[in-house]
Amino acid sequence: MSGHEFQSFFPESGSIDHTDTSTAITETTLTELRQIAARYPHKRSALLPMLHLVQSVDGRVSPAGIQACAEVLEITAAQVSGVATFYTMYRRRPAGKHHVGVCTTALCAVMGGDYLLETVSQKLGIEPGEVTPDGTISLERLECNAACDFAPVMMVNWEFMDNMTPDKADQLLDDLASGRVVKSTRGATLTSWREAERVLAGFPDGRADEGPGAGEASLLGLRVAAERGWKAPEAPHTEAISDGKEATQ
Amino acid sequence: MTDVLTPVLSANWADERPWKITNYEHRGGYSALRKALVQAPSQVMDVVKESGLRGRGGAGFPTGMKWSFVPQANPNPKYLVVNADESEPGTCKDMPLMLASPHTLVEGVIISSYAIGCKYAFIYCRGEVLHVIRRLQQAVREAYSSGYLGRNILGSGFDLDVVVHAGAGAYICGEETALLDSLEGRRGQPRLRPPFPAVAGLYACPTVINNVESIASVPAIIEHGARWFSSMGTEKSKGMTIYSLSGHVQRPGQFEAPLGITLRQLLELSGGMREGHQLKFWTPGGSSTPILTADHLDVPLDYEGMAAAGTMLGTKALQCFDETTSVVRTTLRWVEFYKHESCGKCTPCREGNWWLVQLLTAFEQGKAVPGDIEKLLDICDDIGGRSFCALADGAVACVTSAVRHFRSEFEAGMKTPAWELFPYQASALFGARQEVHA
Amino acid sequence: MTLTANTAQVVVSDLITVTIDGIDVQVPKGTLAIRAAEMIGVAIPRFCDHPLLEPMGACRQCLVEVPDMGNGRGMPKPQASCTLECAPGMKIATQVTSPVAEKAQRGMIEFLLINHPLDCPICDKGGECPLQNQAMSSGRGESRYEGVKRTFPKPVSISAQILLDRERCVLCARCTRFSEQISGDPFIALVERGALQQVGFYEDQPYDSYFSGNVVQICPVGALTSAAYRFQSRPFDLVSTPTTCEHCAAGCQLRSDHRHYQVKRRLAGDAPEVNEEWNCDRGRFAFVSGRGEDRLRYPLIREDGVLRPASWPEAIDAAVAGLSRLGDKVGVLTGGRLTLEDSYGYAKFARTVLGTNNIDFRARPHTAEEADFLATRVAGRTLGEGVSYAALEEATQVVLVGLEPEEESPIVFLRLRKATRKNRTHVVTLAPFASNGTVKLGASLVQTAPGEEAAALDNLTADANTVILLGERAGWLPGVLTAAAALADRSGAALAWVPRRAGDRGAVEAGCLPGLLPGGRPVADATARVDLQAAWGVHALPATAGLDADKMLAASGNLGLIVAGVEASDFTSSAAALAALERTPFLISIEQRHSEVTERADVVFPVALMEERAGTFLNWEHRRGRVNTVVKHSTSPMTDLRVLAALADALGRPLGIRTAKSALAEFDELGAWETSAPVATPSITPVAVAEADGLLLATWRELIDGSRSNDGETALQATAKAVFARVSPNTAADLEVETGDPISVQSDSGWLILSVYVTNNMADGVVWVPTNAPGTPLSNLGVTAGDLVLVSKGGAA
Ligand SMILES: Cc1cc2nc3c(=O)[nH]c(=O)nc-3n(C[C@H](O)[C@H](O)[C@H](O)COP(=O)(O)O)c2cc1C
Ligand code: SF4
Ligand code: FES
């Protein structure tokens, strides 16, 4: 088997999908877009989070979303489109309620990511880049998601699903499909991809306190150090910047 | 001699809800900030300079020196941008840090901003890590409520705003100038240097860009002093750092140790390679650093040691692969990553990686022909050192080092598919559900 | 050997010495290595580099080695010479001496070709393609690439005029940088990333830029092509001639390429002082209007009320008969297509052959105040004395009065944009609203309803670093030119008149004004007349000022008219102009194409098209631009000058000039009139606008409009701006209309239906309408800026 398929004809590249003009953007969305813009010294900085918000509303980067961003930021639609098509998290077609990603960069791929992707794809009956017909799950092939010590890694709605196996993936997909409560291994209870996008736009969902502080792999060194009594050197008392109180504690 | 492991940044990760500000404060959090705020900014900068802290984002540039490049006389606002894009394959240290103890970073941001005269700082975090972003957002909010952010911080007269900014999927945005363009709402493509960000960065104003771990190290340095920090590590590679061990090891994970530890030591701590297998090759700091083999187990994992071994310390992401692994396959996957992540700005990276992927695919399929190794290396020669930024250098590094150490596997790629030489099933932690086609 | 940059203004101490391929070169500090190498004749190959765009360093084709940065240390990697600034003592090794650079460049061309379709035989660029040239000179004979090429669907139209073939693109980003940096129309942008990166646009917002043709010209491959030129010719079959554009007073230098007696395309010439390397789409694409069925091919005379073809001698006889009957009861109306030489011919013809000062080039609204202003502040000024493009760049403030540079003088617009970007020049504009061009200049709007400009000028601050640019419309409203002159006088600001049409500046110098003789000689000044009499070898010149264009039309009942290059719609009221032409006892029309004027003429003389003749245009700076004969037929068509000379001969009062060359020589011989002190400009009190119902009309001509000179170029016309009538939100509320609603704009003589665009920051009580939009010319209403019109919601009143 080989890696990614080699594609060389790109009939649909170059822009977002203009055939679907539906939108759920309202006056409230516009207000929120302006709120995001106001966070920055120069409003154009807000474009990435604004596009996340557009996705949370329209399920993708919609033509109306592009226009709205262009208007708020006073730039051209072509400029927004140039940004929207540069980043992989922006979608041209609606995502599923849940968005599943399987890492297949070298390390995860070798350790089982390729098999995971195959399993998930077969179970869902869709290829990476597609959405199940019922719109529940979309699938994506991921590049390294900074969780290599938990390989192979899957992500659902950009929450970690660490140390994945085909069996666990099977169960996970069943749970997602049937609407059961699913918890991320190092995160919160899964909500939906759209809700996740809203958080990325800077509108918190109140779930920061869910989940653990760290996964077991993250704690490994700390545990070994504790077992063996290793720690960082003591601070020399004489030297730290002194403001009197703390330095002599 | 310091201990083998020296948890500082990770010391509180196993605490109860370590991400909460009260728990962080309970452990002495934000006391370094109080210390810093009664000093002159230049003194704070001096301590960081003296500590010998070098950037933990990959290049190892001395952090204090970078700060000192900010022209304080420049009338424009100064900015601090934390590079939390962590996307280099194998790298997974910043995310657990921010997930477990976001306040370590926030405190570092405040102290560092104070030192360089910044009033508006950004944490640019890759977007694909929802929970990390939640924790960062909350930590910033908590810091505002506690008076560590906002106007007149702790009565010092120092003002600072911090924005947590979510990226949207682009490895290149970890490159600092591409990050700046991205943060300005543009396509994340690297900028011409000079001008350097320290002089004209974000919004063409003086800007310091540092890795998460670099900034997170600052509170401890201020708290315990430059000498304390430099008492750890080696001559030119000071302090403690986080090493990420992944791959075919018994127990992958994060290890915080003084710079200069060896992979042999780390492997020993993680229980060695998985049962019945041996180390075949590894990356010292992500896929962009030339791979090493079991011959290099005892080379100190510091900047100098790695340079001497013909590679780089990079992000200290130690991806370990055992003898079941096909080097050709792994290399192809890495190059596919670079092809996918190339920003497209410059010719050698955009076109070269496109080509390399096709060539390496032939090797994986056993369809390469004589002369292809030379061609591969020649193309690498035309890419490496010719591109606009270092992304393409990383792509080339994994190919050339793979050929250097494992040429015979590439030669075999002229006859036999990699999956026949190295059945892929053997490398995975579990088998395929169905027989996967060859 | 040491070479020195040919830059006179560079102080020697600012020069540094670098060594390129072993040769020492002195260059100004900051010079890029790629340009320094050019000075020793080394052409480093390049794609993304363009001297007028900000350096990018993207294509990596221009790599060189730097064995010494000037501090004894070399650079470890090859460097892009297009972004590398020379440092003192730097050593640079190009492909000529460095095998590393040579290999790097070979490698790069190989990369650029792996995904290129290699379709040179069917590509417009084939034969003049930098990529093709580079591939030929340093590419491999055979490709080492055996993979699959990246393919996209074939060309996409990014505008009605411009097509994009993504497979050919080398992603140098010249086009996108041009659109963003130079013209400020970023409707094209790089989209996607990595190997999929491509130039893109947004479907609902095509690349409708007045400057879009430039991207075709600077594209180093055939990725961008124009609908107009696509598949028209191969470059090696074309003959190129430098010439000057006839569409406006900017004075763009062009390269006109023809084949088979037809101009196939026009390109911006390389004229650093004028248009740099750019031009506008009208200048580039609008050159086919003379090719239609309506081209006049032989003289016409009126017989029994009908125009019939005639031979040249017949037509001259008929014209002479008519003119002889009229004596000096004749007037001459000249238009914008005339060169300096033509205008001089008409000016001399009027005085020496017809014996009248009835001549005026202002086929448009005009005032006596303007004539005075032109006589005292414009005529006789030479290039060095006035404002130049360079001066615009250096000014700290530029004030625009009655001028929308993007519409009316596009190259002035580009230079102002450069000034605002590079030198932070501040532009102030007196206008009823902030136009698109105003926004792109970051200009401050001094909101003025038509008629308020003079008062606004009185309140403006200016200094010696200010330039005041007066458009032709500044002359239409009472008091504006006077107020501008007063502002200049009290602040030391420089003043320049930026007329709209290519021939206007020359017409002033040539004396196509009722009170002004050639070289700025006032008719009223007896010594000036005597001077000219001597030069022209005539006994007397008419001593009284003639009639201006409006007065000629008004008096046409007993005034014969010679009309050249004028359309009825040029005047405020086309109906009134046509009625006047019908009234005249005798009308001679000297024209290229059938028109409403020729229809009414008694004698029609056909004359040569722009590309068939030579001459000179004086641009707004008073800079001369050569018009060269591009297409040479075996029999040369008649020119205005030859028609005039033939008439003069037949009338027994020879004109003395017959060719452009002799006309220019004589004009130069005359020289400019050295007046002692400029005559004070008469102060005009603005007439108060009567309180009446209606809205004040504001208007200007848009660059791509219903002008007949755009005829035949449908792709160009399709990129015209959408036609709107603009009103402020308050006015819209009064009218109970919203954007998109139809409104009618009505005058005594008619009405137009337009859709409305509610425009923020617009003066209340004003309606803006484009002067000459296709199908809705304002001249149908017989009103102009400052007049009152009735505006109401909905269709016809
Ligand atoms: C292609 C590329 C990707 C990079 N990605 C990251 C990253 O994800 N995180 C990071 O901190 N630095 C990354 N860097 C390094 C940064 O450019 C920069 O050197 C670093 O952020 C500086 O911080 P430091 O001095 O604290 O290490 C990357 C560099 C390159 C060339
Ligand atoms: S090497 Fe070139 S194409 Fe690749 S990421 Fe850097 S600038 Fe972009
Ligand atoms: S011409 Fe220098 S990089 Fe393109």
Side-chain angles (χ1 to χ4, degrees):
Chain A
M1 60 176 281
S2 72
H4 311 181
E5 294 136 63
F6 197 86
Q7 194 196 343
S8 74
F9 178 55
F10 305 94
E12 287 177 18
S13 70
S15 195
I16 55 148
D17 179 8
H18 288 270
T19 57
D20 178 0
T21 54
S22 65
T23 183
I25 292 176
T26 60
E27 210 35 64
T28 319
T29 322
L30 288 172
T31 309
E32 287 180 339
L33 288 173
R34 284 189 209 102
Q35 273 170 24
I36 302 174
R39 286 180 206 147
Y40 296 87
H42 293 256
K43 62 182 173 180
R44 183 163 176 176
S45 281
L47 184 50
L48 267 59
M50 283 166 71
L51 287 167
H52 281 305
L53 188 72
V54 165
Q55 298 213 102
S56 81
V57 174
D58 274 346
R60 69 194 195 285
V61 175
S62 57
I66 295 249
Q67 299 281 11
C69 293
E71 269 158 43
V72 170
L73 300 181
E74 298 177 282
I75 56 179
T76 67
Q79 289 173 312
V80 178
S81 166
V83 171
T85 55
F86 184 87
Y87 299 93
T88 50
M89 288 178 80
Y90 299 133
R91 303 185 53 88
R92 299 166 203 215
R93 303 266 146 71
K97 175 165 193 281
H98 298 292
H99 184 59
V100 174
V102 182
C103 178
T104 57
T105 308
L107 185 118
C108 275
V110 164
M111 296 182 66
D114 277 356
Y115 295 135
L116 273 176
L117 183 66
E118 187 103 9
T119 308
V120 172
S121 170
Q122 275 174 10
K123 181 172 172 81
L124 296 174
I126 56 172
E127 293 296 314
E130 295 177 351
V131 191
T132 52
D134 65 355
T136 324
I137 293 172
S138 47
L139 177 62
E140 184 185 343
R141 173 195 287 279
L142 296 185
E143 297 294 1
C144 183
N145 218 92
C148 315
D149 44 349
F150 297 92
V153 172
M154 264 173 62
M155 305 293 292
V156 178
N157 306 336
W158 305 120
E159 298 263 27
F160 294 112
M161 290 293 168
D162 298 328
N163 299 117
M164 196 45 64
T165 66
D167 292 334
K168 284 200 255 178
D170 216 50
Q171 182 65 46
L172 171 64
L173 294 178
D174 286 341
D175 290 347
L176 290 177
S178 58
R180 276 190 285 275
V181 174
V182 182
K183 280 188 157 51
S184 153
T185 51
R186 273 186 298 153
T189 306
L190 298 188
T191 52
S192 71
W193 174 79
R194 289 195 186 204
E195 283 162 89
E197 282 291 317
R198 191 173 161 78
V199 176
L200 298 182
F203 297 98
D205 61 359
R207 293 173 185 273
D209 289 336
E210 293 185 29
E216 270 311 306
S218 312
L219 297 174
L220 180 60
L222 196 62
R223 301 228 195 278
V224 172
E227 275 164 28
R228 309 206 183 179
W230 289 334
K231 43 183 182 336
E234 292 296 318
H237 284 258
T238 46
E239 198 219 354
I241 305 179
S242 58
D243 80 341
K245 285 167 283 170
E246 265 95 356
T248 51
Q249 74 189 9
Chain B
M1 255 322 271
T2 43
D3 289 343
V4 177
L5 295 181
T6 51
V8 176
L9 301 172
S10 59
N12 63 337
W13 292 4
D15 291 4
E16 181 63 23
R17 294 171 32 120
W19 63 87
K20 298 299 284 181
I21 195 162
T22 42
N23 297 335
Y24 181 69
E25 285 171 327
H26 191 69
R27 261 200 177 252
Y30 288 107
S31 64
L33 174 62
R34 290 175 197 279
K35 266 187 189 170
L37 288 179
V38 297
Q39 306 294 312
S42 62
Q43 284 175 291
V44 177
M45 193 184 292
D46 286 343
V47 175
V48 174
K49 255 193 233 171
E50 281 161 32
S51 74
L53 172 66
R54 295 171 66 171
R56 304 295 195 227
F61 193 84
T63 304
M65 197 193 297
K66 186 186 275 191
W67 294 4
S68 68
F69 293 155
V70 171
Q72 290 300 333
N74 188 314
N76 288 325
K78 324 279 181 293
Y79 294 104
L80 173 72
V81 180
V82 175
N83 188 341
D85 195 56
E86 188 163 71
S87 309
E88 168 76 17
T91 309
C92 48
K93 64 191 178 69
D94 297 338
M95 295 305 148
L97 189 153
M98 293 185 288
L99 189 67
S101 187
H103 284 287
T104 311
L105 178 62
V106 173
E107 185 179 6
V109 167
I110 307 170
I111 299 172
S112 308
S113 296
Y114 177 70
I116 63 165
C118 154
K119 295 184 161 53
Y120 219 119
F122 298 87
I123 302 174
Y124 183 109
C125 185
R126 68 180 296 179
E128 306 96 321
V129 285
L130 177 63
H131 209 55
V132 173
I133 287 169
R134 284 198 187 103
R135 293 260 165 96
L136 280 172
Q137 289 170 340
Q138 171 170 291
V140 167
R141 273 199 316 278
E142 287 178 333
Y144 270 104
S145 322
S146 304
Y148 299 131
L149 283 176
R151 306 305 105 202
N152 190 18
I153 294 167
L154 301 177
S156 65
F158 172 57
D159 303 336
L160 178 67
D161 284 304
V162 172
V163 172
V164 176
H165 182 93
Y171 162 62
I172 186 61
C173 291
E175 195 284 332
E176 57 185 22
T177 60
L179 185 152
L180 291 178
D181 258 36
S182 179
L183 186 52
E184 288 182 9
R186 296 165 203 279
R187 299 159 58 73
Q189 294 192 324
R191 293 180 182 177
L192 215 56
R193 273 177 299 205
F196 289 92
V199 178
L202 190 65
Y203 315 128
C205 296
T207 303
V208 165
I209 304 147
N210 272 126
N211 170 256
V212 169
E213 190 188 338
S214 312
I215 295 294
S217 301
V218 170
I221 292 172
I222 296 303
E223 179 77 23
H224 304 305
R227 263 229 319 258
W228 164 82
F229 186 79
S230 59
S231 73
M232 291 176 274
T234 54
E235 196 195 334
K236 288 185 180 159
S237 302
K238 302 289 188 197
M240 72 293 162
T241 192
I242 302 174
Y243 292 94
S244 313
L245 209 61
S246 60
H248 292 129
V249 293
Q250 287 283 2
R251 294 187 296 166
Q254 308 299 320
F255 296 88
E256 193 173 358
L259 280 162
I261 195 170
T262 63
L263 182 61
R264 188 182 300 281
Q265 285 174 291
L266 287 168
L267 274 178
E268 187 262 317
L269 302 179
S270 67
M273 297 301 285
R274 60 179 176 153
E275 199 62 56
H277 294 277
Q278 308 90 46
L279 177 66
K280 179 176 177 184
F281 64 98
W282 54 288
T283 65
S287 56
S288 301
T289 56
I291 60 169
L292 296 175
T293 65
D295 293 344
H296 306 97
L297 275 170
D298 296 312
V299 184
L301 291 168
D302 60 9
Y303 299 102
E304 296 69 35
M306 288 298 107
T311 182
M312 287 173 298
L313 184 62
T315 55
K316 305 148 289 146
L318 308 156
Q319 308 174 83
C320 302
F321 297 88
D322 67 20
E323 81 294 342
T324 64
T325 317
S326 158
V327 173
V328 169
R329 175 195 190 196
T330 318
T331 308
L332 169 60
R333 275 315 163 82
W334 276 328
V335 175
E336 280 179 331
F337 168 84
Y338 292 106
K339 169 178 165 253
H340 187 254
E341 300 299 333
S342 165
C343 81
K345 178 171 187 156
C346 73
T347 308
C349 174
R350 180 184 69 237
E351 307 298 337
N353 281 313
W354 168 274
W355 192 353
L356 287 181
V357 164
Q358 297 187 57
L359 273 175
L360 286 166
T361 304
F363 279 103
E364 189 193 32
Q365 294 175 341
K367 292 180 183 158
V369 295
D372 274 0
I373 297 183
E374 290 68 30
K375 189 152 125 185
L376 191 67
L377 292 176
D378 192 54
I379 292 164
C380 287
D381 186 48
D382 287 342
I383 301 173
R386 275 88 179 122
S387 54
F388 189 91
C389 82
L391 182 142
D393 293 338
V396 169
C398 70
V399 179
T400 52
S401 60
V403 177
R404 182 160 64 244
H405 296 299
F406 300 96
R407 192 176 181 104
S408 61
E409 275 189 42
F410 287 83
E411 276 158 4
M414 297 180 200
K415 296 191 198 75
T416 324
W419 52 83
E420 285 177 19
L421 296 169
F422 298 93
Y424 291 174
Q425 193 119 26
S427 309
L429 298 188
F430 41 77
R433 290 307 245 356
Q434 281 123 307
E435 196 38 53
V436 179
H437 74 277
Chain C
M1 180 166 91
T2 299
L3 291 169
T4 304
N6 181 23
T7 37
Q9 62 286 44
V10 174
V11 194
V12 180
S13 61
D14 280 352
L15 292 176
I16 56 168
T17 304
V18 293
T19 310
I20 302 176
D21 293 334
I23 298 172
D24 287 348
V25 201
Q26 286 202 303
V27 293
K29 240 203 198 118
T31 301
L32 296 170
I34 197 167
R35 311 239 188 287
E38 283 165 7
M39 293 174 46
I40 58 157
V42 172
I44 300 172
R46 69 205 66 181
F47 293 109
C48 66
D49 172 66
H50 190 287
L52 297 176
L53 300 174
E54 281 161 26
M56 189 183 191
C59 75
R60 317 305 288 172
Q61 184 58 52
C62 66
L63 296 177
V64 294
E65 260 200 303
V66 184
D68 184 346
M69 291 187 268
N71 56 6
R73 280 184 292 145
M75 289 190 174
K77 299 172 175 182
Q79 297 292 308
S81 57
C82 70
T83 60
L84 177 71
E85 285 190 9
C86 292
M90 187 180 258
K91 291 194 169 57
I92 295 163
T94 74
Q95 71 275 12
V96 176
T97 55
S98 155
V100 172
E102 203 268 350
K103 167 144 196 308
Q105 293 177 8
R106 267 181 194 280
M108 227 47 72
I109 194 75
E110 182 175 29
F111 286 140
L112 285 174
L113 291 177
I114 64 170
N115 276 308
H116 186 87
L118 303 175
D119 56 349
C120 312
I122 56 148
C123 176
D124 282 339
K125 202 78 172 189
E128 57 178 9
C129 175
L131 181 66
Q132 194 181 38
N133 294 347
Q134 187 58 22
M136 300 305 279
S137 64
S138 57
R140 287 171 176 268
E142 235 169 88
S143 174
R144 288 191 295 173
Y145 182 66
E146 280 147 10
V148 259
K149 281 186 193 279
R150 184 168 63 225
T151 52
F152 299 105
K154 279 312 254 184
V156 285
S157 298
I158 58 175
S159 76
Q161 180 65 272
I162 311 290
L163 293 102
L164 166 68
D165 198 317
R166 289 168 287 176
E167 293 170 3
R168 293 179 186 155
C169 174
V170 290
L171 295 160
C172 66
R174 282 187 183 183
C175 56
T176 51
R177 279 180 292 154
F178 172 86
S179 72
E180 189 179 340
Q181 296 167 14
I182 306 296
S183 71
D185 307 313
F187 302 117
I188 48 175
L190 290 173
V191 300
E192 306 278 353
R193 80 170 185 217
L196 273 195
Q197 184 178 246
Q198 53 192 272
V199 174
F201 74 115
Y202 195 74
E203 277 176 34
D204 303 339
Q205 210 179 48
Y207 182 44
D208 285 343
S209 161
Y210 285 162
F211 305 96
S212 68
N214 290 294
V215 302
V216 175
Q217 186 170 346
I218 59 175
C219 176
V221 297
L224 291 164
T225 48
S226 67
Y229 176 70
R230 224 169 134 74
F231 304 131
Q232 284 293 305
S233 188
R234 317 289 343 207
F236 32 81
D237 291 330
L238 293 170
V239 179
S240 300
T241 313
T243 192
T244 303
C245 182
E246 72 279 22
H247 286 293
C248 83
C252 282
Q253 296 305 294
L254 301 181
R255 187 182 114 192
S256 186
D257 287 355
H258 80 280
R259 182 188 184 208
H260 293 162
Y261 302 107
Q262 248 191 8
V263 174
K264 291 292 179 192
R265 65 172 176 184
R266 306 209 305 185
L267 304 168
D270 186 357
E273 283 141 351
V274 186
N275 47 314
E276 304 201 289
E277 296 174 35
W278 318 125
N279 73 341
C280 77
D281 282 3
R282 185 164 175 188
R284 183 178 298 264
F285 296 120
F287 57 82
V288 299
S289 62
R291 278 182 212 169
E293 290 296 303
D294 60 4
R295 172 86 197 265
L296 289 165
R297 306 200 173 270
Y298 32 74
L300 302 170
I301 57 177
R302 187 167 300 277
E303 207 170 74
D304 303 328
V306 215
L307 278 178
R308 69 149 174 92
S311 71
W312 278 93
E314 260 186 311
I316 293 193
D317 285 351
V320 166
L323 290 174
S324 304
R325 268 202 320 277
L326 291 159
D328 64 357
K329 292 254 167 292
V330 192
V332 182
L333 296 170
T334 61
R337 76 167 153 79
L338 301 185
T339 60
L340 173 64
E341 293 88 342
D342 293 339
S343 292
Y344 177 68
Y346 282 101
K348 187 177 180 190
F349 186 84
R351 273 69 180 226
T352 64
V353 180
L354 302 176
T356 178
N357 281 316
N358 293 341
I359 180 165
D360 199 346
F361 72 95
R362 295 171 299 167
R364 53 170 171 79
H366 52 270
T367 60
E369 183 190 0
E370 185 195 25
D372 286 338
F373 179 85
L374 295 176
T376 55
R377 301 276 178 163
V378 176
R381 298 286 195 289
T382 56
L383 178 59
E385 291 171 314
V387 178
S388 62
Y389 282 107
L392 296 183
E393 252 179 81
E394 282 147 26
T396 52
Q397 178 177 249
V398 175
V399 181
L400 306 176
V401 188
L403 178 65
E404 282 295 326
E406 194 184 19
E407 305 289 355
E408 297 171 304
S409 198
I411 298 304
V412 169
F413 169 78
L414 287 192
R415 198 55 84 91
L416 285 175
R417 214 179 118 77
K418 184 178 182 192
T420 56
R421 278 175 59 86
K422 297 240 148 102
N423 301 337
R424 308 198 171 275
T425 301
H426 180 217
V427 178
V428 177
T429 180
L430 274 55
F433 67 92
S435 67
N436 192 36
T438 298
V439 173
K440 288 195 283 179
L441 291 175
S444 312
L445 172 70
V446 177
Q447 196 190 74
T448 44
E452 292 174 357
E453 294 87 349
L457 281 167
D458 289 342
N459 292 327
L460 221 63
T461 41
D463 59 18
N465 292 322
T466 298
V467 172
I468 304 167
L469 292 184
L470 301 159
E472 67 170 15
R473 292 177 289 113
W476 301 355
L477 293 158
V480 177
L481 294 175
T482 308
L487 174 62
D489 291 346
R490 77 169 174 268
S491 64
L495 202 61
W497 180 61
V498 184
R500 206 174 48 79
R501 300 189 302 183
D504 286 356
R505 187 68 183 77
V508 172
E509 285 319 307
C512 290
L513 278 167
L516 207 60
L517 299 165
R521 292 171 174 75
V523 168
D525 186 326
T527 48
R529 288 200 310 275
V530 170
D531 176 65
L532 201 58
Q533 265 163 238
W536 278 348
V538 291
H539 295 303
L541 288 171
T544 48
L547 301 176
D548 68 17
D550 281 347
K551 293 205 180 95
M552 284 188 250
L553 291 182
S556 71
N558 39 41
L559 196 69
L561 288 173
I562 300 177
V563 180
V566 173
E567 295 287 332
S569 63
D570 291 346
F571 294 102
T572 307
S573 165
S574 49
L578 291 175
L581 294 181
E582 269 156 26
R583 273 199 308 273
T584 180
F586 192 65
L587 175 61
I588 298 176
S589 171
I590 304 178
E591 248 332 326
Q592 300 166 331
R593 298 161 65 196
H594 286 279
S595 74
E596 289 174 316
V597 178
T598 62
E599 270 170 32
R600 286 162 177 79
D602 296 293
V603 183
V604 179
F605 292 107
V607 287
L609 301 176
M610 230 36 236
E611 63 261 35
E612 297 164 342
R613 31 128 0 141
T616 304
F617 280 128
L618 276 186
N619 78 349
W620 68 273
E621 306 168 285
H622 195 116
R623 187 190 301 273
R624 285 185 181 188
R626 283 293 303 159
V627 174
N628 289 313
T629 310
V630 175
V631 178
K632 294 191 181 75
H633 299 280
S634 48
T635 54
S636 48
M638 291 290 274
T639 59
D640 295 73
L641 280 174
R642 286 184 62 192
V643 172
L644 293 177
L647 288 175
D649 287 345
L651 284 163
R653 293 185 287 274
L655 188 60
I657 47 174
R658 153 182 323 270
T659 62
K661 202 170 162 192
S662 57
L664 189 64
E666 187 178 301
F667 174 79
D668 281 343
E669 185 82 5
L670 282 183
W673 179 243
E674 303 284 339
T675 45
S676 37
V679 189
T681 311
S683 176
I684 305 272
T685 341
V687 272
V689 182
E691 281 296 324
D693 278 350
L695 300 181
L696 270 176
L697 178 68
T699 183
W700 53 74
R701 278 171 201 266
E702 298 193 311
L703 182 68
I704 300 172
D705 64 1
S707 163
R708 290 190 75 203
S709 60
N710 295 331
D711 284 357
E713 189 37 63
T714 44
L716 174 72
Q717 287 162 336
T719 64
K721 284 187 180 151
V723 177
F724 289 116
R726 293 174 182 269
V727 293
S728 72
N730 287 337
T731 306
D734 291 345
L735 296 169
E736 296 174 1
V737 292
E738 288 174 14
T739 293
D741 287 349
I743 55 166
S744 90
V745 180
Q746 198 183 345
S747 74
D748 292 346
S749 19
W751 42 263
L752 301 173
I753 308 290
L754 294 156
S755 78
V756 78
Y757 192 93
V758 180
T759 304
N760 291 327
N761 276 326
M762 181 152 176
D764 291 334
V766 175
V767 60
W768 178 88
V769 175
T771 307
N772 192 25
T776 56
L778 256 189
S779 59
N780 283 2
L781 300 192
V783 287
T784 188
D787 290 340
L788 281 171
V789 285
L790 287 174
V791 176
S792 54
K793 180 178 181 162

